Amino acid sequence: NQPPTQWATEGFAISRAEITVGQVLACVDALWCALPPEWDSSVQMGGPSSMLPAVEVTWNAAGYICQFMGAELCTSDQWEYAARGPCPPGSDKAACAEQLSGFPWGDTPLACDLAWAQHDDNFCEVWDLRAAPDLEPGHSPFGAVDLLGNAREWVTGQGTWWEDNHDKAGYSSGTFLERGGGWQTSVEVLSTSVVTAQPSDYVDAAIGWRCCW
């Protein structure tokens, strides 16, 4: 099990990095969850893929694995808070949201060393997922890495802040939200404020998640 590693605000903690293949295999070994159907049955704990983000897992299965770790799938609010940082004490949240940067690292424009992604026309020569670094220039105010780029991330619910500050058109009850963009997504999606959605049974080789406690 992975203990809380980054306290993001009063009341919750967030995984420092995206949940890994090794953490999912620990859930399988404990007979708590089944090996994801899309995974190769030869994948092993300690193998070359163990430290890579776990992908090709449905939204529901991701939440179940978080339960094994004593956590829950992060809400959209939690993810955004961890990515953007807190508002100054006493400030209006809506106004603050307009002032906070669209990137976890601040106002510096997107660059290859800040977000693990191809960017436009694969300028950064990124070809696949990576294992999370110990720390990177693009870390969030709370030390979380790969919030933008690498794997896109499932989140749960919409949360009061999201409900108040995002256009909800097109998000039906049969879809689930994802945040952060991935290594293949366009630069427009690599932002702390962008929200996308997929069907409940959707799996993709570039969607992972992290857990919140």
Side-chain angles (χ1 to χ4, degrees):
N1 292 11
Q2 176 177 307
T5 54
Q6 286 295 331
W7 289 102
T9 186
E10 293 182 9
F12 85 94
I14 190 168
S15 307
R16 188 189 70 85
E18 292 150 343
I19 299 304
T20 66
V21 169
Q23 289 172 306
V24 174
L25 292 178
C27 182
V28 174
D29 289 348
L31 304 180
W32 179 277
C33 56
L35 190 73
E38 288 76 15
W39 286 25
D40 187 331
S41 60
S42 65
V43 65
Q44 294 181 347
M45 183 76 75
S49 63
S50 286
M51 297 305 295
L52 292 175
V55 293
E56 294 187 301
V57 174
T58 65
W59 182 93
N60 283 316
Y64 196 60
I65 293 164
C66 284
Q67 289 178 24
F68 166 73
M69 300 168 68
E72 296 179 339
L73 200 59
C74 298
T75 68
S76 190
D77 278 6
Q78 289 171 327
W79 188 97
E80 188 154 342
Y81 187 98
R84 304 184 81 180
C87 294
S91 64
D92 177 79
K93 288 186 177 181
C96 175
E98 296 298 322
Q99 298 169 5
L100 290 174
S101 172
F103 305 123
W105 54 83
D107 295 325
T108 302
L110 273 170
C112 296
D113 64 334
L114 296 175
W116 185 256
Q118 293 181 339
H119 298 223
D120 286 330
D121 299 320
N122 201 11
F123 174 78
C124 296
E125 298 187 353
V126 171
W127 305 107
D128 208 341
L129 297 165
R130 69 168 178 181
D134 291 334
L135 199 62
E136 61 174 354
H139 66 80
S140 82
F142 304 104
V145 299
D146 284 338
L147 282 161
L148 297 187
N150 211 18
R152 288 137 52 203
E153 299 182 19
W154 288 124
V155 291
T156 187
Q158 296 173 345
T160 55
W161 192 94
W162 190 91
E163 289 280 0
D164 292 341
N165 292 278
H166 290 280
D167 180 5
K168 296 179 285 297
Y171 296 109
S172 69
S173 60
T175 61
F176 293 99
L177 306 181
E178 58 180 43
R179 304 297 301 263
W183 67 274
Q184 292 176 301
T185 51
S186 64
V187 294
E188 291 80 11
V189 180
L190 295 172
S191 169
T192 58
S193 61
V194 172
V195 185
T196 53
Q198 302 292 349
S200 59
D201 59 351
Y202 186 78
V203 294
D204 190 279
I207 299 182
W209 74 99
R210 62 187 79 210
C211 300
C212 284
W213 288 260

